[in-house]
Amino acid sequence: MSIYRRHLSRSVDLVTDAADIRAGFVTLALERNRRATPFVEQARALKVLAQRAKNPIDLLNIEGIRPALLTAAGFSEKATNYTEEADKTEAIQGLIENFLEPTGSDFVEELVYRFLLTRGDSLGGSMRNVAGKLAERKLTRALISALTLTETEYRWLNAASKTWIPGTTDVTDIELNLKALSWERNGESRTLIYNLTVPLVRKNIDMCLLNCDSSEVKSATYRIPERFLAFGELKGGIDPAGADEHWKTAQTALSRIRDAFGDKNLSPSLFFIGAVIVENMAQEIWQQLEAGTLKNAANLTNAEQVASLSQWLVEL
């Protein structure tokens, strides 16, 4: 029996339910609010400081408020790093003259609104990647569960400290900082890495499973095609309007991998996991599974499918 038939019996099994789509939008909305909380607190602190000024020009004399004034003037953190101090001062003066002074006694509220406007743009940019991060966390939890239930020892790479940490029974929140997982099973070493640029493909790939342990994970290892056992595309976007585009992007990436490794007479296992899978997309995925072009697939919103695919990865 084909591996994917452990959790799939027909193409429609891959289609995302309307209820799961709604739940996905709620999850993203809650995450947006969570990420917005620091900006709201900064705005409150800014208001307290700004209220010391009797008029807009007095803002220039308040110690520590300059970065917030730059933000209100429309400067992102990145833009600030590439701007001369004289230009920053000119921008702040333009903010005061053109937008704060015309509001009269309401200049503090105007300042706070403009500060939040720029911060909101920054939040919008970070939210474009948040669906992917949430998807990685969900898969990571499933992988760790599969390892834990089979009493398989593992190590995980902390993305912040760049150190490998032994896995324990307390796995609370480790998925928030996890970059890679490494384990041994039946005498074989395996390492799964998220978002890795593979030299042979020369592109970033969502998930790469290698035949190596954590001590062997280094740039030289990535140049050995034979070390790669599987590649996966993970799409966490939940909006049905973008489903086809996500699948098109995934297919392009997987085809690139297939061709590059095929030229080396290698055929690593390819798999796909998507949060939103519509009917025509599900049919195409099913056809590729039946043809062997894809080795496995799962709908990210279906816990049983994700658990089954995770167990397959652990057993590879």
Side-chain angles (χ1 to χ4, degrees):
M1 181 179 70
S2 299
I3 292 296
Y4 63 89
R5 286 190 174 271
R6 289 179 179 177
H7 55 272
L8 300 172
S9 59
R10 51 184 181 163
S11 65
V12 72
D13 293 340
L14 285 162
V15 177
T16 309
D17 291 337
D20 289 325
I21 292 174
R22 292 194 296 271
F25 277 122
V26 170
T27 298
L28 289 176
L30 291 173
E31 181 66 12
R32 179 185 290 273
N33 274 290
R34 187 188 71 81
R35 291 179 175 232
T37 298
F39 298 154
V40 174
E41 294 302 321
Q42 290 169 22
R44 289 192 178 117
L46 171 60
K47 185 175 182 180
V48 171
L49 283 174
Q51 284 174 335
R52 299 177 185 176
K54 294 182 179 179
N55 53 64
I57 200 67
D58 288 345
L59 292 168
L60 296 174
N61 301 320
I62 298 177
E63 185 178 355
I65 205 174
R66 183 178 173 86
L69 293 176
L70 277 171
T71 299
F75 278 72
S76 65
E77 292 182 7
K78 183 181 292 186
T80 301
N81 294 331
Y82 291 93
T83 308
E84 299 291 336
E85 288 301 318
D87 295 326
K88 294 177 184 177
T89 299
E90 183 180 350
I92 291 173
Q93 290 174 339
L95 167 71
I96 292 172
E97 294 172 6
N98 299 322
F99 301 105
L100 302 186
E101 289 181 344
T103 64
S105 61
D106 294 329
F107 71 91
V108 172
E109 284 73 14
E110 184 69 19
L111 173 64
V112 172
Y113 293 153
R114 292 187 176 275
F115 173 87
L116 285 171
L117 183 64
T118 301
R119 285 298 193 211
D121 283 344
S122 300
L123 177 61
S126 67
M127 285 300 295
R128 295 188 187 98
N129 300 321
V130 76
K133 286 297 181 183
L134 291 175
E136 286 180 12
R137 293 174 191 174
K138 189 168 186 176
L139 178 61
T140 295
R141 286 194 292 269
L143 286 166
I144 290 176
S145 294
L147 291 166
T148 303
L149 288 173
T150 55
E151 297 184 331
T152 303
E153 293 186 0
Y154 68 92
R155 295 163 63 84
W156 63 281
L157 178 63
N158 187 299
S161 65
K162 311 295 184 185
T163 57
W164 285 94
I165 302 171
T168 64
T169 54
D170 181 10
V171 296
T172 306
D173 291 340
I174 69 171
E175 70 272 11
L176 300 179
N177 297 304
L178 187 146
K179 167 69 176 176
L181 270 172
S182 187
W183 64 89
E184 284 194 12
R185 186 171 176 83
N186 299 325
E188 296 284 343
S189 296
R190 298 288 183 263
T191 299
L192 179 80
I193 305 176
Y194 289 112
N195 302 309
L196 177 68
T197 298
V198 179
L200 184 61
V201 184
R202 291 181 292 182
K203 292 290 182 179
N204 183 280
I205 300 171
D206 292 343
M207 294 168 287
C208 304
L209 182 67
L210 294 93
N211 178 17
C212 69
D213 63 34
S214 58
S215 65
E216 297 177 286
V217 175
K218 55 191 73 173
S219 59
T221 306
Y222 307 150
R223 297 185 179 280
I224 306 174
E226 289 80 6
R227 287 296 188 101
F228 291 92
L229 300 177
F231 295 98
E233 281 292 298
L234 177 63
K235 300 303 177 187
I238 199 64
D239 188 350
D244 287 337
E245 188 61 32
H246 287 317
W247 173 232
K248 180 180 179 181
T249 302
Q251 284 199 93
T252 299
L254 293 171
S255 295
R256 189 183 293 119
I257 295 167
R258 190 180 300 110
D259 293 343
F261 280 79
D263 290 342
K264 299 288 185 179
N265 294 318
L266 298 171
S267 55
S269 297
L270 304 180
F271 62 98
F272 174 78
I273 305 173
V276 60
I277 300 178
V278 295
E279 188 172 349
N280 65 313
M281 178 179 165
Q283 291 173 355
E284 291 183 21
I285 294 171
W286 184 258
Q287 289 169 3
Q288 293 194 24
L289 288 169
E290 292 281 81
T293 306
L294 282 177
K295 291 297 183 183
N296 216 334
N299 188 307
L300 187 65
T301 67
N302 187 304
E304 291 185 5
Q305 292 183 21
V306 175
S308 177
L309 189 144
S310 296
Q311 189 62 48
W312 166 71
L313 280 174
V314 168
E315 293 171 351
L316 271 180

